[in-house]
Amino acid sequence: MKIYQLLPVLSYGDAIGNDTIALYNIIKGAGYDTYIYAEVVDKRISSEICSDINQFRGVEKEDVIIYHLSTGSELNYQVVNYDCRIMIIYHNITPPQYFNGYNIEAYRNCRRGLAAARFLRDKVDYALADSEFNREELLRMGYQCDVDVLPILIPFDDYEKAPNAKIIEQYQDGKDNIIFTGRIAPNKKQEDVIAAFALYKKQYNSNARLILVGAYEAMPRYYEQLKQYVKELDVEDVVFTGHVPFDEILAYYRVADCFLCMSEHEGFCVPLIEAMYFQIPIVAYDSTAIGDTLGGSGWLLADKDPATVAGVLNRLLSDKELKNEIIKGERYRLEDFNHTVIEKQFFKCLEYFLKNEKTVL
């Protein structure tokens, strides 16, 4: 028996790419014959790890395909043509309306992806979802197979690499740094982060800085709107980093005093786990998978009114005992994402899948 992972795009350093490669390593380490194939492979990824999908020559009936579902692609439909058992891992697909008027290709990809997700609902044998939110979304789509939750495998060892010293020197200057990491995109709602920060800075802490870490090249119109919004609010110390190398991301986490997330749509939200790892207190709006990922840690908000959020930031950053209590809760939650814990969960799911002869109708 061979285990194949298939996906449209294997990117370097993103959550799905990291998860795919981490699964490859643990599957291979367990003694299985395993391979990865993708339509598009980042040039920085070794050909020994992943091959072009055009080189995929088919399967035996006893083989298993693990298909990563996250975007629009013809592969979403082609995968069911292979005569073997198929498991999907659902990483979520952002509702396309968020991208309407900002990026037509992203809008179309998300529409195609959701259509394909519905197409697959009666054609796969098993499904894993990154979060309970993702699991419930598959069930709402009418998935007929068993659907279980398996969090993303996160490469914590990478976070111990050396941070960029220049960034640390630049931003460890006595200001309180509030950060959010994630691509500049309408579903992330960076405008709500900016609005809350503006009130916090004006009403409570003039020595605060907001750092928005993430690429904006794919959403230039949205990025320009955010910059204009900053001007309209007449607020200083708002930094857009754009795309940055990994050592700079590590540095921004190390200088952060608080992580503020106002996103309206997340299938998992790896930056929350990263903030936990760097012992940064988290304030986050309770939407989609945010509450699932925090798991009772951080400060979860039912209301994202800027005045409410600004008041929360003030209380958190002015109360050391409260801040330490929140960090303690995040450290406890972080244990649930330990590699060993997730590996055991994966092999438990895989064993169940391999032993369960039930197939879709």
Side-chain angles (χ1 to χ4, degrees), residues 299-329:
W299 190 321
L300 196 61
L301 299 170
D303 182 0
K304 64 156 79 175
D305 174 72
T308 300
V309 181
V312 168
L313 291 173
N314 179 58
R315 184 174 173 201
L316 176 61
L317 292 174
S318 61
D319 187 335
K320 187 174 181 180
E321 185 176 339
L322 174 61
K323 181 177 178 179
N324 289 338
E325 190 64 27
I326 288 179
I327 291 172
K328 180 180 177 181

Side-chain angles (χ1 to χ4, degrees), residues 149-295:
V149 174
L150 181 76
I152 288 175
L153 277 160
I154 298 171
F156 291 112
D157 289 348
D158 287 351
Y159 301 150
E160 290 302 314
K161 294 178 180 177
N164 185 287
K166 290 184 178 180
I167 294 295
I168 290 179
E169 182 180 1
Q170 180 179 357
Y171 291 108
Q172 275 189 342
D173 57 356
K175 287 184 180 290
D176 293 314
N177 293 312
I178 297 169
I179 74 163
F180 175 67
T181 58
R183 70 187 185 280
I184 301 296
N187 62 298
K188 305 287 185 181
K189 290 295 177 181
Q190 278 92 350
E191 67 265 36
D192 293 331
V193 176
I194 292 168
F197 169 76
L199 276 179
Y200 172 68
K201 184 175 179 66
K202 291 177 180 179
Q203 295 184 6
Y204 299 106
N205 184 2
S206 61
N207 199 40
R209 177 193 290 121
L210 174 63
I211 306 175
L212 296 169
V213 184
Y216 48 70
E217 290 78 9
M219 298 287 167
R221 183 180 176 191
Y222 180 59
Y223 170 57
E224 291 300 324
Q225 288 178 354
L226 292 176
K227 289 197 299 181
Q228 182 60 37
Y229 189 45
V230 170
K231 291 181 180 179
E232 291 173 2
L233 293 176
D234 191 27
V235 59
E236 297 179 345
D237 294 313
V238 177
V239 179
F240 294 91
T241 70
H243 176 76
V244 295
F246 188 64
D247 69 327
E248 292 189 20
I249 294 175
L250 295 179
Y252 285 118
Y253 277 123
R254 291 185 184 275
V255 301
D257 296 289
C258 179
F259 186 92
L260 179 60
C261 175
M262 295 287 102
S263 180
E264 286 187 354
H265 191 90
E266 298 289 341
F268 183 81
C269 198
V270 167
L272 293 175
I273 308 300
E274 294 172 337
M276 293 179 195
Y277 184 86
F278 287 97
Q279 300 187 46
I280 307 166
I282 297 166
V283 175
Y285 175 58
D286 187 8
S287 72
T288 55
I290 299 294
D292 297 339
T293 300
L294 286 177

Side-chain angles (χ1 to χ4, degrees), residues 2 26 39 48 53 149 152 173 313 325 327 341 348:
K2 297 181 178 67
I26 66 172
E39 288 182 306
E48 295 179 1
I53 192 68
V149 174
I152 288 175
D173 57 356
L313 291 173
E325 190 64 27
I327 291 172
V341 172
K348 183 179 180 181

